[in-house]
């Protein structure tokens, strides 16, 4: 039997990190068992589904690198199949037409609430058959009235639900469109899904889905319901806690592997290991190591992980992601040093790729002005002369590299009887427009002789106009 899992998002918004974690766990499980991972877009809610949301899901999956073996399938392409199954259920007596009006159902509900009963359909049309009437009926599934349904949940353990707790759910609306529980069941059955891994907000649907599968004589998949992800205040993670969409994490400068590593640890653990390569995740992942209780999203920890990946990852890989951010800032990375060298220079001090991209702008374009505070501190009387001397000395350097540049700065400081800072700080401001940069010799080496000398010239003119 091929292990088959699926990720089945409804395209009604962005790809939420909670959804991404569900996708990751389903992907990991399939990859670990040499199985198949399917992407299925559940777009039957025609009013709420949008193309932009479908695009966001596909883009998110691609950015995360969660490749699927089949799909994307679209449920809207399966309407005929759902109709066929609904007809089958009607024909075998496991479904029936229901003509109860909205008003009638509302009244029933009010009465049940008043009697402190759980609101549920009372089965009035269960035995009346199809009637010749003006109103279009809905179709309900005939849920068994006796007995229990046991979910052998791979995360939560056995969950037992009495059938008398479940009412006859609608499987086709009056306009003929099928409802969620029906479409999921049909697709899971047709796609031979062996493991349904999804958020535990669906746990209430599972006994109903099992009953429909049983009515269809279908094999049951195994279920694993993942606990919710909460914000720091204990409420379900949402937009008001900050970034929750996968693409927003990209925009904010996270590497996909850092986000995946963070997500895998959110509700799953393997000893106290924090950092996992994708291969390690596949190797160690087990559904029975998933926590039963909800987990809290911790931005600080994600940021820490991102920094780890930026510091230790493959430089060419990081450069490729950085390149996208440079593009976002309107920079053509070919108009300056190789991005791989920028990564090497800035990785220790950049927690995100946005920080790295912003901190490397001066390599690619002239900055707009000098940072005011740094000007007061470093462009002081006489600093123009220090810079003029530096200009001459640097002009004479034959082989332009960090070591040679370093020597020039040290020698000049010594010759002028100044400490290093008095030389390096005005130089730094001249080159970067601010008082912070990585080691100045490395910065100059990467910037190149031409840009270095012209920026020193600019700074000298600027200082002379100041005083
Ligand atoms: N389409 C459902 C959702 O986005 C998921 C259905 C499932 O995984 O069974 O919540």
């Amino acid at each position: 039997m091929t292990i088959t899992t699926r990720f089945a998002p409804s395209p009604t918004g962005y790809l939420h990190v909670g959804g991404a974690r569900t996708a990751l766990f389903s992907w990991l499980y399939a990859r670990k068992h040499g199985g198949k991972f399917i992407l299925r877009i559940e777009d039957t809610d025609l009013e709420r589904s949008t193309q932009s949301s479908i695009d966001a899901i596909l883009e998110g999956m691609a950015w995360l690198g969660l490749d699927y073996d089949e799909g994307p399938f679209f449920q809207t392409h399966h309407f005929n199949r759902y109709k066929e199954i609904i007809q089958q259920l009607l024909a075998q007596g496991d479904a029936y037409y229901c003509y109860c009006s909205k008003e009638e159902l509302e009244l029933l509900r009010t009465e049940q609430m008043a009697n402190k009963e759980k609101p549920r359909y009372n089965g009035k049309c269960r035995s009346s058959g199809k009637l010749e009437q003006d109103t279009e009926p809905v179709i309900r599934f005939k849920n068994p009235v006796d007995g229990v349904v046991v979910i052998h949940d791979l995360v939560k353990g056995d969950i037992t639900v009495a059938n008398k707790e479940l009412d006859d759910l609608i499987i086709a609306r009056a306009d003929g469109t099928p409802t969620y529980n029906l479409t999921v069941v049909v697709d899971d059955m047709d796609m031979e899904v062996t493991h349904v891994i999804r958020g535990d907000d669906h746990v209430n649907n599972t006994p109903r889905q099992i009953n429909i599968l049983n009515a269809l004589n279908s094999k049951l998949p195994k279920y694993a319901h993942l606990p919710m992800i909460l914000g720091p205040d204990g409420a379900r993670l949402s937009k008001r806690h900050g970034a929750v969409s996968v693409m927003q994490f990209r925009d904010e400068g996270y590497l996909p592997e850092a986000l995946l590593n963070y997500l895998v640890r959110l509700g799953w653990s393997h000893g106290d290991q924090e950092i996992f390569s994708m291969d390690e995740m596949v190797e160690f992942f087990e559904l029975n190591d998933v926590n039963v209780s909800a987990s809290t999203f911790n931005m600080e920890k994600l940021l820490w992980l991102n920094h780890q990946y930026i510091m230790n990852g493959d430089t060419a890989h990081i450069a490729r992601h950085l390149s996208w951010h440079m593009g976002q800032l309107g920079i053509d990375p070919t108009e300056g040093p190789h991005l791989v060298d920028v990564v090497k220079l800035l990785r220790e001090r950049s927690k995100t790729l946005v920080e790295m991209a912003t901190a490397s702008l001066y390599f690619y374009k002239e900055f707009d002005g000098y940072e005011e505070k740094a000007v007061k501190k470093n462009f002081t009387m006489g600093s123009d002369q220090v810079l003029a001397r530096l200009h001459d000395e640097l002009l004479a350097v034959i082989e332009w590299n960090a070591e040679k540049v370093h020597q020039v700065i040290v020698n000049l400081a010594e010759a002028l009887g100044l400490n290093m800072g008095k030389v390096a700080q005005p130089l730094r401001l001249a080159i970067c427009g601010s008082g912070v940069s990585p080691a100045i010799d490395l910065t100059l080496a990467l910037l190149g002789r031409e840009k270095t000398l012209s920026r020193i010239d600019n700074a000298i003119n600027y200082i002379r106009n100041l005083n």
Side-chain angles (χ1 to χ4, degrees):
M1 179 189 62
T2 310
I3 298 281
T4 303
T5 65
R6 82 319 191 255
F7 176 48
S10 304
T12 53
Y14 43 83
L15 177 58
H16 188 280
V17 282
R21 188 193 56 170
T22 302
L24 172 63
F25 282 18
S26 306
W27 181 90
L28 285 173
Y29 197 77
R31 293 290 168 263
K32 183 182 176 85
H33 295 279
K36 207 159 67 175
F37 173 62
I38 295 176
L39 178 63
R40 183 171 81 218
I41 308 285
E42 305 211 317
D43 56 346
T44 53
D45 186 339
L46 301 176
E47 262 167 38
R48 295 180 60 223
S49 300
T50 63
Q51 185 57 44
S52 66
S53 171
I54 294 173
D55 295 343
I57 292 167
L58 299 181
E59 194 183 13
M61 296 293 282
W63 182 72
L64 289 169
L66 297 179
D67 55 328
Y68 29 93
D69 305 293
E70 285 180 14
F73 294 115
F74 293 88
Q75 288 197 314
T76 45
H77 299 174
H78 300 169
F79 274 134
N80 287 340
R81 175 68 178 146
Y82 304 140
K83 278 208 176 105
E84 195 176 282
I85 293 290
I86 291 166
Q87 287 308 318
Q88 182 189 330
L89 288 169
L90 281 168
Q92 65 190 44
D94 284 314
Y96 61 90
Y97 292 99
C98 170
Y99 293 88
C100 294
S101 66
K102 268 206 182 96
E103 294 72 31
E104 231 177 316
L105 294 173
E106 203 38 59
L107 190 65
L108 176 67
R109 192 185 155 82
T110 320
E111 279 171 14
Q112 286 170 333
M113 303 274 273
N115 293 338
K116 300 208 164 24
E117 290 167 23
K118 193 169 147 192
R120 58 203 296 278
Y121 180 59
N122 60 6
K124 183 178 162 211
C125 298
R126 213 173 147 105
S127 49
S128 47
K130 186 158 191 183
L131 305 172
E132 286 307 317
Q133 289 211 355
D134 292 344
T135 48
E136 284 299 327
V138 299
I139 299 172
R140 289 183 186 268
F141 173 67
K142 218 182 246 181
N143 198 79
V145 270
D146 300 318
V148 294
V149 183
V150 184
I151 313 168
H152 300 293
D153 194 281
L154 297 176
V155 172
K156 294 175 182 286
D158 282 1
I159 303 169
T160 304
V161 180
N163 272 321
K164 66 174 188 315
E165 294 292 322
L166 309 170
D167 57 1
D168 292 345
L169 86 137
I170 297 175
I171 54 176
R173 301 182 187 90
D175 64 5
T177 56
T179 58
Y180 161 71
N181 280 297
L182 188 279
T183 58
V184 164
V185 159
V186 174
D187 284 336
D188 284 344
M189 176 175 76
D190 286 352
M191 294 172 188
E192 298 181 0
V193 171
T194 59
H195 291 73
V196 169
I197 301 171
R198 62 184 170 195
D200 69 2
D201 47 337
H202 284 289
V203 92
N204 288 337
N205 291 318
T206 306
R208 299 172 180 284
Q209 293 178 10
I210 291 178
N211 281 335
I212 301 177
L213 284 166
N214 283 336
L216 293 170
N217 247 329
S218 166
K219 246 182 110 182
L220 296 181
K222 293 200 162 52
Y223 293 92
H225 289 97
L226 310 174
M228 291 285 97
I229 302 177
L230 307 177
D233 58 356
R236 197 173 158 173
L237 186 70
S238 73
K239 256 193 206 152
R240 66 193 169 81
H241 296 113
V244 284
S245 119
V246 166
M247 296 327 283
Q248 198 178 340
F249 284 100
R250 176 199 59 185
D251 297 350
E252 292 184 6
Y254 290 86
L255 283 165
E257 55 274 26
L259 184 57
L260 288 171
N261 192 147
Y262 181 69
L263 290 176
V264 84
R265 285 285 294 103
L266 204 56
W268 173 83
S269 54
H270 177 72
D272 41 25
Q273 186 169 339
E274 288 291 355
I275 297 187
F276 295 86
S277 67
M278 290 306 276
D279 288 342
E280 284 176 315
M281 283 187 211
V282 171
E283 186 182 343
F284 300 140
F285 185 75
E286 298 286 356
L287 280 170
N288 54 16
D289 288 332
V290 173
N291 290 348
V292 178
S293 49
S295 354
T296 304
F297 201 89
N298 181 338
M299 251 352 147
E300 298 274 295
K301 191 163 166 203
L302 171 58
L303 192 60
W304 174 82
L305 264 173
N306 201 46
H307 194 204
Q308 299 301 310
Y309 276 93
I310 288 178
M311 282 193 296
N312 305 315
D314 173 59
T315 47
H317 170 79
I318 299 169
R320 185 164 64 75
H321 285 279
L322 178 63
S323 175
W324 182 85
H325 286 279
M326 300 306 279
Q328 293 302 106
L329 295 174
I331 299 291
D332 176 349
T334 64
E335 284 166 7
H338 281 310
L339 283 180
V340 165
D341 293 324
V342 171
V343 171
K344 284 184 192 152
L345 185 67
L346 292 171
R347 67 199 321 195
E348 294 288 330
R349 52 175 61 226
S350 311
K351 290 200 169 75
T352 70
L353 294 179
V354 169
E355 274 177 33
M356 191 182 273
T358 316
S360 68
L361 283 179
Y362 58 79
F363 287 117
Y364 298 91
K365 65 167 198 177
E366 298 304 316
F367 43 85
D368 291 335
Y370 301 103
E371 190 190 299
E372 237 174 85
K373 250 167 107 186
V375 166
K376 287 211 178 81
K377 222 164 135 207
N378 301 310
F379 283 175
T380 47
M381 284 271 279
S383 53
D384 57 331
Q385 285 163 34
V386 174
L387 287 174
R389 282 288 297 272
L390 264 173
H391 185 279
D392 292 346
E393 304 289 335
L394 288 171
L395 190 62
V397 170
I398 295 168
E399 206 186 327
W400 188 262
N401 61 35
E403 219 174 295
K404 291 278 158 34
V405 167
H406 182 78
Q407 215 43 60
V408 166
I409 299 170
V410 171
N411 290 348
L412 184 66
E414 216 176 87
L416 296 176
L418 296 171
N419 66 27
M420 273 280 281
K422 285 273 183 261
V423 179
Q425 277 307 92
L427 177 58
R428 175 169 277 129
L429 184 54
I431 297 304
C432 316
S434 81
V436 264
S437 81
I440 191 68
D441 47 357
L442 297 174
T443 307
L444 258 54
L446 206 54
L447 186 65
R449 186 205 308 265
E450 209 180 310
K451 280 185 184 158
T452 299
L453 294 178
S454 92
R455 286 189 196 175
I456 292 177
D457 270 340
N458 291 345
I460 294 170
N461 288 334
Y462 179 87
I463 298 167
R464 289 189 176 155
N465 280 332
L466 266 185
N467 300 324

